[in-house]
Amino acid sequence: MTRLRWPSWMPIDPYIVLLLGTVGLAALFPAHGTGATVASGASTAAIAFLFFLYGARLSTREALDGLRHWRLHVTVLACTFLVFPALGLAARATVPVLLTQPLYQGLLFLTLVPSTIQSSIAFTSIARGNVPAAICAGSFSSLVGIVITPLLAAVLLGNSGGGFSADSLVKIVLQLLVPFLAGQLLRRWIGPFITRHKKVLGLVDRGSILLVVYTAFSEGMIQGIWHQVSPARLGALLLVEAAVLAVMLVGTWYGGRALGFGRADRIAIQFAGSKKSLAAGLPMASVLFGAHASLAVLPLMLFHQMQLMVCAVIAKRRAHDPEVESGDADRGAGAGDAGAGSETGDGAEGSAAHPVQGQPQNRVLR
């Protein structure tokens, strides 16, 4: 039987299509009454299970092995948790001319979530960059983001972020941090099982996130918050997000040069430092924003698809860069082989295989 594939000429993440379909389902058939209670309970359990799997997948040893390249990792962390939030705060000037306050809160939240792992590795590999550095940078970002993202949200969003409070911090600890740490502690024993069944567990990841999205947008429909969003506002949101992404892509590339990094390292910095994780951000938003999570995750969903499309183009152009140095190319090629067997995929973003080093790829990873 011939396997159906997403057309290479259509650079749209199929999972985004599923997410948008889930949003449409919630708009047409939102959960009410007992159904809403059941969906909320199932969503809470799904979030805890997601972060248990994230912890079980994430190789702490692999991350610690990369400490010798600490300057690069500090640079990526600074981009993710300092520069990005600074741009989010600067975007406050767009309210209310371009963005409504709820959309701005969602935009600010997306600047606080950690970077991706799998897609950063994939694009770094395609562009002949330093893949081990991308693996470690993404791992560090995920580890730090479990703690830093809620703290930044508490400081920058406060009570205006859909009811963020001390209770939200307790939920973060119980629903995100405790399962994540449990996964890390049990990784030694359950790691082989997860490796053998990673495809099935990848489907569980995606299904869980779809459930979280359905629950969040069902609550949004009941609250009637969709009346706050118009096509013009969505277009303005896309323009603002495009500007943020452009600043990060240019800043990470030329900033890396100013800091004295070589080409391979600059590629890893650019792709790991300019992206945000949908798989980590959606569950966090559900916990932090509650009934207001629908508008909070909308900017993240749009930014996720935008970053994949733009970075796919950049990675392919970097692969044919005339100034590629043989040493960097060799390092990237060897790293691609090493990274292919890693277990550092971040949930829905980590279920696909790595691309073959040095060959153009039409399939975009999440």
Side-chain angles (χ1 to χ4, degrees), residues 20-32:
L20 294 177
T22 302
V23 172
L25 180 64
L28 295 174
F29 306 103
H32 292 276

Side-chain angles (χ1 to χ4, degrees), residues 58-332:
L58 191 60
S59 174
T60 307
R61 177 184 299 177
E62 202 168 51
L64 294 177
D65 286 343
L67 283 175
R68 62 182 181 274
H69 210 357
W70 63 270
R71 286 183 64 245
L72 184 146
H73 303 315
V74 169
T75 301
V76 172
L77 289 176
C79 291
T80 304
F81 297 113
L82 291 178
V83 181
F84 250 120
L87 291 177
L89 291 173
R92 178 66 178 81
T94 63
V95 180
V97 177
L98 295 178
L99 302 181
T100 62
Q101 185 65 20
L103 282 180
Y104 168 70
Q105 294 291 342
L107 176 68
L108 180 57
F109 172 73
L110 90 80
T111 66
L112 309 181
V113 303
S115 177
T116 63
I117 298 178
Q118 183 73 16
S119 55
S120 297
I121 298 169
F123 290 133
T124 300
S125 179
I126 293 171
R128 295 172 173 262
N130 189 339
V131 178
I135 293 173
C136 294
S139 299
F140 284 141
S141 182
S142 295
L143 286 169
V144 172
I146 294 293
V147 176
I148 292 297
T149 296
L151 292 179
L152 287 174
V155 173
L156 300 181
L157 292 173
N159 290 329
S160 62
F164 190 93
S165 62
D167 182 58
S168 298
L169 290 177
V170 174
K171 289 181 179 179
I172 283 289
V173 172
L174 295 179
Q175 294 185 41
L176 306 185
L177 186 57
V178 171
F180 180 86
L181 293 177
Q184 281 278 287
L185 292 174
L186 295 176
R187 187 177 188 276
R188 177 179 178 183
W189 295 279
I190 66 177
F193 175 84
I194 289 179
T195 300
R196 290 194 304 269
H197 300 87
K198 61 182 180 180
K199 291 185 178 180
V200 175
L201 291 175
L203 294 177
V204 173
D205 282 354
R206 299 179 184 190
S208 299
I209 292 176
L210 291 176
L211 176 60
V212 171
V213 170
Y214 174 77
T215 303
F217 279 91
S218 288
E219 293 176 350
M221 285 298 298
I222 295 173
Q223 294 290 331
I225 59 176
W226 280 111
H227 296 295
Q228 305 175 36
V229 183
S230 65
R233 293 293 189 184
L234 286 178
L237 175 63
L238 286 172
L239 287 176
V240 174
E241 291 190 336
V244 170
L245 181 59
V247 170
M248 290 306 303
L249 287 170
V250 173
T252 50
W253 182 250
Y254 290 102
R257 173 185 290 178
L259 292 173
F261 289 103
R263 177 188 177 278
D265 289 344
R266 289 164 61 200
I267 288 174
I269 291 172
Q270 184 177 50
F271 290 125
S274 66
K275 297 221 289 304
K276 292 295 183 177
S277 173
L278 182 71
L282 285 177
M284 286 184 179
S286 179
V287 174
L288 294 173
F289 291 89
H292 301 271
S294 53
L295 284 184
V297 302
L298 183 61
L300 180 59
M301 290 171 59
L302 294 175
F303 188 83
H304 174 80
Q305 177 59 38
M306 183 185 299
Q307 71 185 9
L308 291 182
M309 295 173 67
V310 174
C311 288
V313 174
I314 293 176
K316 291 177 183 179
R317 294 178 69 89
R318 291 265 184 263
H320 301 289
D321 196 332
E323 65 182 35
V324 173
E325 302 171 9
S326 59
D328 287 342
D330 292 341
R331 179 176 4 167

